[in-house]
Amino acid sequence: MTQNFKIYAYPPPETLSFDSQVESLFYSSLIHSHFITQNPEEAHLFFIPFSFHSGLSARAAAYVVGKYRTEFIYWNRTLGADHFFLSCSGIVHGADRNVVELKKNSVQVSCFPTTAGLFIPHKDVSLPPLANVHAPVHAPGSKSSSYLGYVKYNWVKESNIKEQLLADPEFEVESEPSDQLTYEERLAGSKFCLFEYGPEISAIGEAMSFGCVPVVITDRPIQDLPLMDLLTWQQIAVFVGSSGGVNEIKRVLGRVVVEEYEDMRESAAVASKHFVWNDTPQPFDAFHTVMYQLWLRRHTIRYAEREWA
């Protein structure tokens, strides 16, 4: 994959901007990588450089796709199925043919967690979130933990569960930013890190790197987890519903501690290397694992010329 995978990037708009830092980092890494080719005939995939400053309307997206399909032959060969675009805000549904084909056929590379209703699991890809901290070296072996679980002040918002966690001495709940212990010390000193599925789950990679096994509180299946093609998430994270409250969470975690905690902790810490974004991409980091997922999506149907001309 590293040597053979080629991507042709369409000419970008005069002003190209993104909604998030991780989008900008992915774009910069892609454009300056050896994956880019100037010869579209040797490309496996085609990149559409939309500009997403405060979102992109369906009308604007339709205009861009229409422009590329008129000036180049490649969109019509697959109706956009060998194309991908970068968007954390997503593109709303529209009746225009260009938007319909874009949303149905092209791969959307999005941020995690994704915008509800704008992510199609079987084809789209979510970017590993950009970490603020990361354990410099993964230390193997057993872990000495002061708490069963750690919850940062904004990781769990459901009031009943938050109140129950605050009342339970087995959980370290940071009700507000504190300087008594560093964030890294809290991650390293807890067996589990609790997240409610939502924007704050973006810290999941940080928890994994410090050997804090993620516990995701959710009442529905999660289909936009990063690196779904590479990681078996059930082996590195615990998923539990909210209806049973903290008692049910503790029951599940108690079973995990007895049966599989050390294996999960080791697996999570090892997998965390795939969540690391580097200014200069390195093998197996976030950029390269996203590129591998795109490589897996390179096989598409190309229509005969008489079918699309």
Side-chain angles (χ1 to χ4, degrees):
M1 186 275 284
T2 300
Q3 299 300 322
N4 298 327
F5 189 28
K6 295 299 178 183
I7 291 170
Y8 179 77
Y10 288 114
E14 291 184 6
T15 302
L16 189 63
S17 60
F18 300 100
D19 289 331
S20 69
Q21 186 179 354
V22 71
E23 285 175 288
S24 180
L25 186 55
F26 173 79
Y27 176 77
S28 175
S29 298
L30 173 64
I31 294 303
H32 294 100
S33 73
H34 66 272
F35 297 112
I36 293 295
T37 177
Q38 302 304 316
N39 179 10
E41 292 297 332
E42 69 177 11
H44 298 93
L45 293 179
F46 296 81
F47 174 63
I48 305 173
F50 288 122
S51 184
F52 282 92
H53 181 64
S54 301
L56 184 76
S57 68
R59 181 178 179 181
Y63 172 79
V64 173
V65 173
K67 181 175 182 289
Y68 290 143
R69 86 184 303 157
T70 300
E71 296 179 2
F72 298 85
I73 66 172
Y74 307 106
W75 179 276
N76 287 324
R77 294 194 307 187
T78 64
L79 302 182
D82 57 356
H83 288 56
F84 71 99
F85 63 98
L86 178 62
S87 169
C88 284
S89 56
I91 296 177
V92 298
H93 297 277
D96 186 281
R97 172 191 176 185
N98 293 321
V99 175
V100 172
E101 291 176 359
L102 178 71
K103 293 188 65 64
K104 180 181 178 180
N105 300 332
S106 301
V107 177
Q108 174 180 304
V109 179
S110 190
C111 295
F112 174 74
T114 60
T115 303
L118 300 181
F119 184 87
I120 302 176
H122 75 270
K123 70 174 184 67
D124 294 341
V125 174
S126 62
L127 297 171
L130 190 64
N132 295 314
V133 298
H134 198 277
V137 179
H138 166 53
S142 60
K143 174 181 177 178
S144 177
S145 303
S146 303
Y147 294 95
L148 176 64
Y150 167 56
V151 186
K152 197 174 180 180
Y153 62 95
N154 57 351
W155 285 355
V156 174
K157 292 183 169 59
E158 207 284 318
S159 58
N160 289 334
I161 291 181
K162 197 165 188 176
E163 290 176 4
Q164 294 172 32
L165 290 170
L166 283 166
D168 195 310
E170 291 192 80
F171 292 94
E172 165 75 351
V173 180
E174 184 184 352
S175 57
E176 60 184 20
S178 170
D179 58 2
Q180 294 179 352
L181 289 175
T182 67
Y183 175 50
E184 294 88 339
E185 289 171 336
R186 293 175 188 272
L187 293 176
S190 302
K191 290 184 183 299
F192 299 95
C193 285
L194 277 64
F195 301 90
E196 187 176 357
Y197 180 76
E200 302 306 331
I201 199 175
S202 60
I204 194 169
E206 299 173 1
M208 290 163 55
S209 74
F210 283 89
C212 194
V213 174
V215 178
V216 183
I217 303 170
T218 178
D219 293 315
R220 63 174 180 82
I222 300 177
Q223 298 180 308
D224 63 341
L225 286 163
L227 312 181
M228 291 281 283
D229 298 317
L230 289 82
L231 303 179
T232 303
W233 275 94
Q234 289 75 13
Q235 296 178 0
I236 60 178
V238 179
F239 299 88
V240 61
S242 64
S243 59
V246 170
N247 286 337
E248 175 63 12
I249 294 173
K250 290 180 68 174
R251 185 192 69 79
V252 172
L253 298 188
R255 175 188 58 78
V256 171
V257 168
V258 172
E259 298 177 3
E260 51 190 332
Y261 172 74
E262 286 300 328
D263 288 340
M264 292 187 76
R265 182 185 71 83
E266 289 287 327
S267 297
V270 170
S272 69
K273 68 182 179 181
H274 302 310
F275 284 71
V276 178
W277 288 94
N278 296 296
D279 291 334
T280 301
Q282 303 296 321
F284 307 110
D285 68 0
F287 172 72
H288 279 99
T289 47
V290 171
M291 295 304 298
Y292 178 70
Q293 290 185 100
L294 290 172
W295 164 254
L296 295 177
R297 288 157 173 77
R298 74 195 184 280
H299 297 297
T300 56
I301 298 173
R302 296 195 173 187
Y303 300 101
E305 184 173 351
R306 63 179 177 273
E307 296 182 64
W308 52 262

